[in-house]
Every structure is written in C-alpha cells, then in structure tokens.
Amino acid sequence: MTLSPLVCRWFGPILLAICAVYSGAGRCDVALPSLLDRVHPVMARNGMAVTQDALASQVGVEILRQGGNAVDAAVAVGFALAVTLPQAGNLGGGGFMLVHHAANKQTEAIDFRETAPAAIRRDFYLNDKGEVDETRIRYSHQAAGVPGTVAGLAIAHGRHGRLPWFRLLAPAIQLAEQGIPVNLDLALSLHEARERMARWPASRAIFFKSDGSGYQPGELLRQTDLAASLKLIAEQGPPAFYEGEIARRLVADMQANGGLITADDLKNYRVVVREPVRGRYRGYEIVSMPPPSSGGVHLIQLLNMLENWPLAEWGANSAAVVHRLAEAMKLAYADRSEYLGDPDFVKVPVAGLTSKAYAKELAARIEPNRARPAAEIKPGQPRQHESEQTTHYSVIDRDGNAVAVTYTLNFSYGSGIVAAGTGILLNNEMDDFAAKPGAPNAYGLIGGDANAVAPGKRPLSSMSPTFVLEDGQAVLVTGSPGGSRIITTVLQIVSNIIDHQMNIAEATLAPRMHHQWLPDELRLEEGFSPDSVRLLREWGHTVVFKEAIGDTQSIVRTPAGLYGFSDTRRPGGLAAGY
Ligand code: GLY
C-alpha cells in the first residue's frame, strides 16, 4: 500500500510509527506536525457518519454499530434528516448518492433528482410580459418537481443494503412521533421562513404553534403526519409514496392548489444509476456526480486548471491563489451556462469539459495580475470527446465502503408548502431550470437551451457529492450545500487538503471564496488578509464580503482511522463515529 502525503501527514507521533511500518524509511516524506499543534477533527476506528444534524449523525452510527453497511446508514440518515432537518432533509425533494465499494473498488452514482411534470411547457413560468414569474416557480405548488428521494433511497438499499428496510426507517419514525428538541438553527430558520410557510394551513399546523407563535430552542417539535407517511413507506416501500396513500394525498393537494404533479407523474418517476464523472488531480483520483449535476464536471474542470499552477508554493488564500481560482471559476461557470443540462435530453460534452488539454488552454488565458471582466468572457469551446438549504452527509463503514449524499428541497423548506395530510414539504426545484434564457435563477445562475424546461426533464444541479480515491480506495468523502457555491466549496476542500496539506478540520475552517462569472463579483468570507484583499482589488476584482459559503460534512480515511469534521458554518452538525 502506498502511503501518500494525503494519508501520512496529519497524525504526528502516532502515525509516524504507522508510516514507518507501512511505508519504510523515506516514503512518508512530508514533515509531520504534532497533532497538538493543529486544529483536529473527530476520530473513530470503525465507522463514521457526518451530517448537518447531530441526531441524524447518531442514527447513522447506530445503524453501523448494528451491522449495517455505509449504504444502510446513509438510507437511515436520509430518512432521519427529513424529520430532524426539515430545512433540507426530505421526502419531497431529490438528490444524488455516490456509493463506493471497497472490495471491488467500484463507484456508482445514483441520480434521484426531481423531474418536471408531464404537463409542463417550455415557457410555463413566464408571465404576460415574458418575464419569469418568481412566485410561481419558487413558492407555489407549480414550483415542485416530481420527488425522487424515496425511490432513490430504496434503489440504493435494494442494490447495496444489508439490514431490512423497515429497520432503516424506524429511527425516523420514532423521531417524528416522539418529537425532536428544536435547536437554534431550526428555530431561527423557521422564524425567517414564517411569511412564506404560514400561509399554507398544513405547513402552519406543523411548524408553528396553535397560537401562531414560533418554536423556541429546546421545545419539542412533533410531526405526526410525517410519522404516518414514514410508517407507510416502511411497511409498503416506495409504492406507498408513488402509487398508494401518500400519492393520493399529494395529488389531491396538487389538484386543490393548481399544481401540476399527477398520479401518472408519480407512477412514472424513475431513478437513474449513472457512471460517475472522473478525473485526476496531482496523483489522486477524483470521482464525483455526473450530469444532471454540473458539480462533478466543473469540479474536475477547475482542478485541471489548478494543476497548471504551484498553489502550494503560493500559499493558501494568498492573493495569487485566490485570483487564479476566481479567474478559473469564471470560465467554468460560463461553460456551465452553455453546455450543462439533463444528459437524457441534451448532449453534454463531459469529456471535452473535463479534459486536461482544454483546461490547459483555459488556464493559459488567465493573466497573473488582471481580473478579466465577466463581459469579456464567453463560454469556451470544449472539444467533443440556497435561502439555499441543500444538505450533504458522508458515511464510511468498517470495510471502507463510502457513501456521499447531497439532497435537497432547493430553498430552505423548499416551496414552504406541506402537502396536506402527508407532513411532507414540497421542493421548489423547478427554479433550477433556466425558465428564460439569460434570466438568473435564485442563485444568480443563468442558462440556455441545455437547461430549458421540458416535461420529464431533470433541472440542472450544482450538487457535488465527491470522493477522492487513492489506490482505488476512498480517502476523502465530502460535499456541501450552497446552491451555485457547492462546486467551489468542494473544490476548496480538495485543494486545501491536497495542495495546502491541511487536515480535514483545517480544510473546512479555512475562509472560502467564490466566483461564478455572473454576477461579476469575487465573493469572500471574513478572514482573508487585508493585504490579499488590497491586491485582488488592485488587479480589478470587485470584492464583496457576504455570509458564510457552504456547509461541508467530510470524512478522511487513513490507516490510523477515520477523521471527520462537520462544518461549523451552520450550527447543529456532528461527526459521529465508533
Ligand atoms: N437546488 C440546488 C442544486 O441542485 O444545485
């Protein structure tokens, strides 16, 4: 086994001994910092689940302890988060799961993204003036795509699970029935979402008290309708959701409120198992989500560009590095607007966009001390060969099997609408389509024909569940929420670890930057040095400081054990292991 710097560098004296045994003198050639000198992550020997909610992380670890594998734990976490993190955990949304098998070194991508209802038409969301009707596409029953989460978790379980299905739903049912203590994050986010949620009777009845007041931290939130839906799914499997009692209630709610989703839409929903998109970065293999996510393609495109520069030498978050990242991001997001869409409807030039040669061409166009205005940038020519409350979680089991899941309702609480009698919040994923060419969606992303609205089509996503592999084994599992910022957040986690030799805690806590071509602004978190900011402004960047970017949930696997870190940008997460 090769022990590369990725594995060797973090663990000071303990790992020095292990490195010596495994690699022999000279193999582990990076200076090993003392663990005590570093911000350090949570460690476990056998298995780990890192999620945005502590209760859900504990559910995942309990399933691992009971002999479940990483997929079993990921399925149980997916259902638990629908109860404990209603902002993003869901039954009424969709997402992506990457599964890596340690034994045969195979990885697959499970696509359970929502689909557009059959009744949709290309200009459906335009008003009389030809403008996008934002209320309709974001806050109405017509905002919802056909949900994929229940089918996706069931397919994952059917293909890879070890424990019985009903056991994986039991913790979620219990949490919904008995209630969860409302944490600060939930109390605050419900307060923020009050206006759009409280107008819907079923949402108001669940997420606000009978006198209309909000829940305070520490109070108990019970979700009895959701518990009943979960029980039906536990007993009958996905047919309960797509053809049975839950389907009937969802469709009745759609019909009563001008929604588009029909019984046939639900019955016809299909999960797609896809080949992940792959690349290499400084010796490591990068495996991520293919279209209809733009995440994996542009993560690899960006890493390919970064490989042309000595980032380690220039230093993490130095002006030189931030400038190159920003310029590379502009080019990648310009390509995204032109080429990315549902591959079952449009031809996406994945090979061209992820080729080293194309990245070299793009990198050569980047000037060292000048920010190119967005107006000068157009999509390139690859050759043919959140509010934004998505959530991500990562799991590794004792055999080294790994699962990375990013799933979403799109905004916090999706459209804010609970389908009456189900306890299930509806997504507003239709806003991820380019409803009108060139008109920005809620994340400021623009698109064209490739991501135009069409019946049965999956809206383009940025969700990027990602593995870094070494010798065919998962050594990093990561991902993030954050809408358009997901791709750049995951990029910085990977680069912080591989280029800047940070451990997973340091890589997570380092201040983040983001550029997406349009709007033409370089977005920074607090914490960048004033010297760097001054240089970036001198080079022509429009620097803006905005709220925190992303919320990563990551695990690193080493011979010494598993190291996890739950991002502290949002409260309530936990890296739990055993
Ligand atoms: N709804 C955010 C995304 O899929 O990228």
Side-chain angles (χ1 to χ4, degrees):
M1 175 179 184
T2 309
L3 280 185
S4 72
L6 178 65
V7 171
C8 282
R9 65 175 171 270
W10 294 313
F11 307 108
I14 310 165
L15 197 60
L16 260 180
I18 298 166
C19 285
V21 170
Y22 275 84
S23 56
R27 290 299 299 277
C28 191
D29 52 4
V30 173
L32 291 171
S34 159
L35 190 57
L36 297 176
D37 291 345
R38 309 281 295 256
V39 180
H40 57 88
V42 172
M43 188 191 182
R45 298 231 164 261
N46 297 312
M48 186 171 263
V50 187
T51 86
Q52 206 182 320
D53 179 80
L55 288 170
S57 299
Q58 283 154 359
V59 165
V61 168
E62 191 46 39
I63 293 291
L64 293 174
R65 271 187 211 280
Q66 290 173 16
N69 61 22
V71 172
D72 290 320
V75 170
V77 168
F79 284 115
L81 283 170
V83 181
T84 62
L85 189 79
Q87 301 95 308
N90 67 81
L91 304 184
F96 303 125
M97 178 186 285
L98 280 192
V99 180
H100 181 74
H101 269 275
N104 61 14
K105 302 184 177 179
Q106 299 294 306
T107 308
E108 71 181 27
I110 301 177
D111 168 1
F112 53 98
R113 182 75 162 163
E114 301 92 328
T115 53
I120 206 81
R121 293 295 169 263
R122 186 179 169 123
D123 293 339
F124 183 80
Y125 295 104
L126 303 188
N127 62 21
D128 298 345
K129 295 187 194 120
E131 304 299 332
V132 179
D133 180 338
E134 291 185 356
T135 303
R136 193 189 303 174
I137 201 168
R138 296 179 190 171
Y139 305 116
S140 79
H141 283 71
Q142 298 175 347
V146 183
T149 295
V150 174
L153 296 180
I155 290 280
H157 176 256
R159 291 171 73 83
H160 308 287
R162 194 185 282 160
L163 296 185
W165 172 247
F166 66 87
R167 259 173 75 187
L168 307 183
L169 279 108
I173 294 169
Q174 195 181 343
L175 288 163
E177 253 176 355
Q178 295 183 358
I180 53 162
V182 170
N183 62 23
L184 185 64
D185 189 33
L186 182 53
L188 288 176
S189 72
L190 280 171
H191 179 73
E192 275 169 22
R194 166 189 285 278
E195 201 184 311
R196 64 192 168 90
M197 291 182 79
R199 22 194 292 258
W200 304 101
S203 308
R204 189 170 60 238
I206 295 166
F207 293 107
F208 299 94
K209 295 190 212 164
S210 48
D211 65 358
S213 62
Y215 282 94
Q216 300 299 312
E219 290 182 333
L220 213 58
L221 172 68
R222 295 180 70 227
Q223 299 174 72
T224 45
D225 281 352
L226 183 57
S229 291
L230 285 163
K231 276 186 193 164
L232 287 171
I233 296 167
E235 287 158 11
Q236 300 168 16
F241 188 94
Y242 292 96
E243 294 174 60
E245 186 55 32
I246 301 171
R248 272 191 288 284
R249 289 184 185 182
L250 277 173
V251 171
D253 200 60
M254 286 284 153
Q255 284 170 351
N257 293 284
L260 300 178
I261 297 176
T262 63
D264 277 347
D265 285 326
L266 287 167
K267 204 163 132 192
N268 293 335
Y269 181 82
R270 293 289 173 268
V271 172
V272 185
V273 179
R274 301 183 188 275
E275 260 303 302
V277 61
R278 293 168 192 277
R280 291 201 75 80
Y281 185 60
R282 303 199 204 270
Y284 294 97
E285 188 177 2
I286 312 296
V287 183
S288 191
M289 194 66 208
S293 178
S294 59
V297 166
H298 294 302
L299 174 67
I300 290 167
Q301 182 188 21
L302 283 162
L303 288 169
N304 286 343
M305 282 190 254
L306 301 196
E307 222 174 28
N308 291 284
W309 302 304
L311 302 190
E313 197 181 296
W314 293 342
N317 283 343
S318 61
V321 167
V322 174
H323 171 69
R324 292 320 187 288
L325 258 62
E327 294 302 291
M329 287 170 185
K330 287 181 203 171
L331 298 173
Y333 278 79
D335 281 353
R336 182 189 190 279
S337 74
E338 179 76 13
Y339 296 112
L340 271 285
D342 181 344
D344 297 336
F345 284 72
V346 292
K347 180 148 179 48
V348 182
V350 173
L353 288 165
T354 57
S355 85
K356 295 275 184 202
Y358 179 54
K360 210 173 181 64
E361 264 172 42
L362 294 180
R365 284 190 221 154
I366 292 172
E367 298 170 46
N369 298 333
R370 175 182 172 259
R372 210 145 47 112
E376 278 181 22
I377 293 173
K378 298 278 169 287
Q381 306 228 297
R383 279 176 284 278
Q384 298 291 340
H385 4 183
E386 13 179 313
S387 151
E388 49 273 323
Q389 267 279 16
T390 298
T391 192
H392 175 84
Y393 58 95
S394 299
V395 184
I396 295 190
D397 66 23
R398 63 185 314 148
D399 297 321
N401 301 311
V403 178
V405 179
T406 314
Y407 76 152
T408 188
L409 291 164
N410 198 21
F411 291 9
S412 244
Y413 309 100
S415 60
I417 303 169
V418 168
T422 67
I424 295 171
L425 278 159
L426 298 171
N427 69 81
N428 58 350
E429 220 68 64
M430 299 302 283
D431 190 55
D432 275 349
F433 277 118
K436 178 184 174 183
N441 74 355
Y443 304 108
L445 291 167
I446 62 165
D449 285 349
N451 190 31
V453 181
K457 192 173 177 186
R458 286 156 145 86
L460 181 60
S461 172
S462 299
M463 294 189 285
S464 316
T466 295
F467 297 140
V468 173
L469 305 185
E470 187 183 27
D471 297 335
Q473 299 300 347
V475 290
L476 170 66
V477 185
T478 192
S480 179
S484 57
R485 274 94 63 196
I486 293 174
I487 305 168
T488 53
T489 298
V490 172
L491 174 78
Q492 287 165 86
I493 290 283
V494 173
S495 176
N496 283 344
I497 289 179
I498 294 178
D499 292 309
H500 303 300
Q501 306 278 297
M502 295 181 192
N503 70 35
I504 190 59
E506 294 163 330
T508 304
L509 294 172
R512 293 186 185 137
M513 49 77 63
H514 173 76
H515 206 305
Q516 61 180 55
W517 175 44
L518 296 170
D520 192 358
E521 62 182 30
L522 170 55
R523 178 170 169 169
L524 301 184
E525 289 185 337
E526 294 298 337
F528 284 83
S529 99
D531 300 351
S532 296
V533 174
R534 183 177 46 76
L535 280 173
L536 290 162
R537 287 196 163 122
E538 277 175 24
W539 295 342
H541 291 281
T542 303
V543 175
V544 295
F545 287 90
K546 289 193 178 166
E547 69 271 24
I549 297 171
D551 188 62
T552 55
Q553 310 293 331
S554 315
I555 306 175
V556 163
R557 180 165 177 259
T558 81
L562 301 170
Y563 289 78
F565 200 75
S566 176
D567 206 328
T568 52
R569 283 169 177 79
R570 293 182 194 173
L574 180 71
Y578 77 112

